Amino acid sequence: MMDANPISRRRALQLAGTTGLAMAALGTASCSSGGDDPADERLSEVPDSFNESGFPIVDEPLTIRYMTAKNPNSLPEYNDVASWKHYQSQTNVTVDWGLVPTTAMKEKVNLAIASGDLPEAFYGAALPSLEMVRYGADGTLLPLGELIETHMPNLTALVDSTPGARAAMTFPDGGIYGLPVVHDAEFLGLSYSQRLWIRQDWLDRVDESMPTTTEEYFTLLQKFKKASPNRDGDSIPYGDYASGQSLENMLLGSYGLRTRGTGTANIDTDPSTGELRFYPAHEAYRDLLEFLHRMYAEGLVAKHIFSIERGQFDADAGAGVYGTVVTIDPEQMYGDGAAEFVSSKQLVGPQGDHTYVHCRPTVVNTANFSITNRVENMAVIGRWMDHFYSDAGCELFFMGIEGESFQRTSSGEVEYLPEIINNSEGLGKALGSYVTYGGSPYPGWVQESFFKGQEATDNSRKAAELLEPDAIPMADRWPNFTYTVEEGTRLQGIVDDITKFCEESRAQFITGDRSFSEWDKYVDTLNSMGLEDFMEVQEAALGRFNSAA
């Protein structure tokens, strides 16, 4: 049986990537004992029974060793999961998964690196960019460029058809230290996954239509509070479980902020000057925080918005407590009680801005699969992973086994079987015996044809289509910036301090615990914490990306 075609012929994907301000500090431990052979030597060490193409990957069974972030909904042993059992029979390769709870993965990875007791690969480790460059430089992680070119034709074709993808994946030293997560550029429900939703029944009760501006939205929330439209109990105009961050994400574009998408949290370019900026120190961000403070001061948001647990919030939303929320698909998230929510277009801000900026790039992560210097079967692992950058691999990974977890429609599309969709324990639990993708990080290619999560529902698709005219073009979204070891050392400490200070100050400004008369002092404090050094590093990283893209 041969591998699927390297890439779907439907289209060429567009560039993207992702990074964040909240990067972990550089690790200090390195693996120095044994296993510092270069990657090309490891690539040449292939089993006698290795096949360059097709299945099985090897004629004689062998085992590869991973450390893996475990999906909590899946079976206790991944080799009992139907999709992995099937893939094992196809490839003749057994995986010793080394399963670790996702919440403990960072600690386990750090311990493995410090002790030198490494697996052949980390699966779902979500290593911070600064750690990847450090461990690539000291030889703990092996460069994967030659592996991709030699043994991963599916990924090679996908990267070659994605402008700028190699620049997003490549560190300043020329190394590629992780395999990417690539999102289908035409999968709008995934690209624009967070949206503002407003209850239609509440709109009807106050005789209002959908708001189009931030001020109309504010006035609507005031009417919601006065009318108390939820006849079964409390009526809260807006609520979320993320300290109001979800609404802020939706409104940043209404204030001309986050102009390069979600890939580079807290840095973007000023639309009026084109200059790189740290937007939490910009006057427009102060204006946004003042708007959120007005909402909080008038009781238009839940007073417990900074402390409510996710489970309680979901239950309240399903019970009709909130008039507006920000989420993917309310009915899928909160149940039938949320069926009245309808999606909003991007609101126009006070200066006329109305860009939808919570846009994911295409290459969203390059840190969910890395190969260590203890690898014994590098070529085998490369071929094993490459399948998941093909149509057939995507189908297996997200859908499971035909006839057991999914079926084909008369038009050739795939859909989960009714017993999966209607399972009383929910879709996640129902799929746990067949696939492992939900609830933990993973590498691979995410296509709308095979991914059937909330982002792919009809409601989700329609909501995303409303936002598309105002969304940041794919070519304008920045990728995951990468750094040199020296730049990482320079950023160490600065990033954590600035991140913590911005988060604390944001909450204080919104609640009124800090006056906006102290804004200049807030900016001065950021500068004293090393903001200038931080921005100089970002300028250098952006310059490298622009040169390579």
Side-chain angles (χ1 to χ4, degrees):
M1 180 179 179
M2 300 297 292
D3 267 320
N5 290 334
I7 187 172
S8 170
R9 293 188 290 268
R10 293 174 297 169
R11 62 208 175 265
L13 301 176
Q14 301 298 315
L15 164 74
T18 180
T19 190
L21 173 65
M23 299 174 290
L26 283 170
T28 57
S30 65
C31 179
S32 58
S33 60
D36 57 355
D37 297 339
D40 56 355
E41 292 184 20
R42 298 305 176 92
L43 273 175
S44 67
E45 298 170 356
V46 297
D48 292 337
S49 64
F50 177 73
N51 296 310
E52 292 286 351
S53 62
F55 289 138
I57 293 176
V58 287
D59 293 325
E60 297 296 326
L62 61 74
T63 298
I64 53 181
R65 297 175 296 107
Y66 294 169
M67 179 183 289
T68 305
K70 183 186 181 301
N71 170 15
N73 289 321
S74 290
L75 299 178
E77 298 294 335
Y78 270 15
N79 285 327
D80 292 332
V81 175
S83 58
W84 293 129
K85 289 172 68 175
H86 177 78
Y87 196 47
Q88 179 180 328
S89 68
Q90 279 186 301
T91 61
N92 239 356
V93 176
T94 298
V95 180
D96 177 356
W97 289 96
L99 295 175
V100 175
T102 300
T103 54
M105 191 66 175
K106 180 178 180 180
E107 177 185 1
K108 292 294 186 181
V109 169
N110 289 340
L111 288 173
I113 292 175
S115 67
D117 184 17
L118 293 166
E120 292 187 79
F122 293 118
Y123 188 110
L127 293 170
S129 178
L130 295 183
E131 292 185 8
M132 291 183 74
V133 66
R134 171 65 178 270
Y135 297 134
D138 71 16
T140 300
L141 301 181
L142 296 186
L144 306 179
E146 187 64 27
L147 173 68
I148 293 170
E149 294 297 326
T150 305
H151 295 296
M152 304 187 71
N154 295 319
L155 178 57
T156 297
L158 184 58
V159 168
D160 286 347
S161 68
T162 306
R166 287 190 185 275
M169 295 166 57
T170 305
F171 280 81
D173 65 357
I176 295 173
Y177 298 112
L179 300 181
V181 180
V182 182
H183 285 180
D184 186 337
E186 294 183 1
F187 191 171
L188 299 185
L190 190 61
S191 290
Y192 317 146
S193 62
Q194 293 292 304
R195 308 102 187 203
L196 176 65
W197 301 79
I198 301 176
R199 290 189 69 103
Q200 184 63 54
D201 54 342
W202 286 33
L203 287 168
D204 293 341
R205 288 173 193 169
V206 297
D207 194 25
E208 283 288 347
S209 56
M210 292 289 287
T212 60
T213 69
T214 53
E215 280 305 311
E216 287 179 4
Y217 176 65
F218 188 89
T219 300
L220 177 65
L221 297 184
Q222 289 177 313
K223 292 185 176 182
F224 281 171
K225 180 184 178 184
K226 183 177 181 180
S228 191
N230 180 22
R231 294 167 179 166
D232 297 326
D234 293 336
S235 295
I236 300 174
Y238 175 80
D240 73 32
Y241 61 90
S243 303
Q245 187 67 59
S246 298
L247 183 60
E248 179 179 309
N249 289 337
M250 294 304 303
L251 296 181
L252 283 166
S254 301
Y255 284 79
L257 303 168
R258 191 183 277 173
T259 60
R260 296 294 182 166
T262 62
T264 48
N266 295 326
I267 59 172
D268 69 353
T269 51
D270 189 324
S272 62
T273 65
E275 295 181 354
L276 184 69
R277 66 178 176 182
F278 183 78
Y279 66 74
H282 196 274
E283 293 294 313
Y285 187 70
R286 183 191 66 184
D287 294 341
L288 172 55
L289 292 184
E290 286 183 329
F291 180 83
L292 296 175
H293 169 66
R294 286 170 56 206
M295 288 180 58
Y296 189 88
E298 291 204 22
L300 306 182
V301 302
K303 287 296 183 183
H304 54 26
I305 199 168
F306 291 96
S307 60
I308 189 171
E309 295 292 333
R310 170 68 181 273
Q312 183 61 57
F313 172 79
D314 288 354
D316 290 344
V321 170
Y322 303 113
T324 67
V325 296
V326 173
T327 190
I328 301 171
D329 180 343
E331 193 170 1
Q332 290 291 317
M333 185 70 74
Y334 313 129
D336 294 343
E340 286 286 345
F341 280 108
V342 292
S343 58
S344 167
K345 293 182 178 181
Q346 181 64 34
L347 299 176
V348 179
Q351 303 302 319
D353 297 296
H354 55 91
T355 304
Y356 176 79
V357 300
H358 198 69
C359 304
R360 286 174 171 165
T362 303
V363 180
V364 297
N365 192 298
T366 60
N368 285 344
F369 193 94
S370 295
I371 294 178
T372 79
N373 60 25
R374 297 304 176 90
V375 66
E376 297 176 5
N377 294 288
M378 192 169 185
V380 172
I381 289 175
R383 284 217 54 219
W384 187 95
M385 266 303 307
D386 192 50
H387 186 54
F388 300 103
Y389 296 98
S390 72
D391 289 343
C394 291
E395 180 180 278
L396 177 66
F397 187 72
F398 292 112
M399 300 301 298
I401 308 300
E402 185 173 3
E404 296 182 27
S405 56
F406 78 91
Q407 61 189 359
R408 296 188 192 280
T409 67
S410 58
S411 61
E413 297 179 351
V414 294
E415 62 183 15
Y416 292 128
L417 293 172
E419 52 265 39
I420 298 293
I421 296 174
N422 300 322
N423 190 286
S424 60
E425 294 188 90
L427 185 62
K429 286 291 185 182
L431 285 173
S433 298
Y434 301 98
V435 296
T436 59
Y437 77 88
S440 58
Y442 55 84
W445 187 17
V446 187
Q447 300 184 62
E448 188 170 11
S449 301
F450 306 111
F451 185 88
K452 303 299 180 181
Q454 293 182 43
E455 293 87 350
T457 65
D458 288 341
N459 279 346
S460 183
R461 187 178 301 109
K462 291 174 183 177
E465 289 172 352
L466 274 181
L467 296 168
E468 184 180 17
D470 292 321
I472 301 172
M474 188 68 74
D476 292 341
R477 303 176 203 174
W478 279 342
N480 181 9
F481 290 162
T482 56
Y483 307 96
T484 66
V485 173
E486 292 74 20
E487 288 169 344
T489 300
R490 191 175 176 186
L491 289 176
Q492 187 174 0
I494 295 177
V495 168
D496 289 340
D497 290 345
I498 288 178
T499 299
K500 182 179 179 181
F501 178 70
C502 285
E503 290 175 350
E504 292 176 346
S505 299
R506 172 187 174 277
Q508 291 167 350
F509 281 127
I510 291 174
T511 60
D513 290 342
R514 185 167 191 172
S515 169
F516 285 96
S517 64
E518 297 185 46
W519 182 260
D520 289 343
K521 181 179 178 181
Y522 158 78
V523 174
D524 289 342
T525 302
L526 283 172
N527 289 327
S528 71
M529 297 173 82
L531 183 59
E532 183 177 354
D533 282 349
F534 173 83
M535 293 304 292
E536 285 181 359
V537 171
Q538 306 312 313
E539 287 272 13
L542 175 60
R544 284 193 300 269
F545 171 74
N546 286 336
S547 297

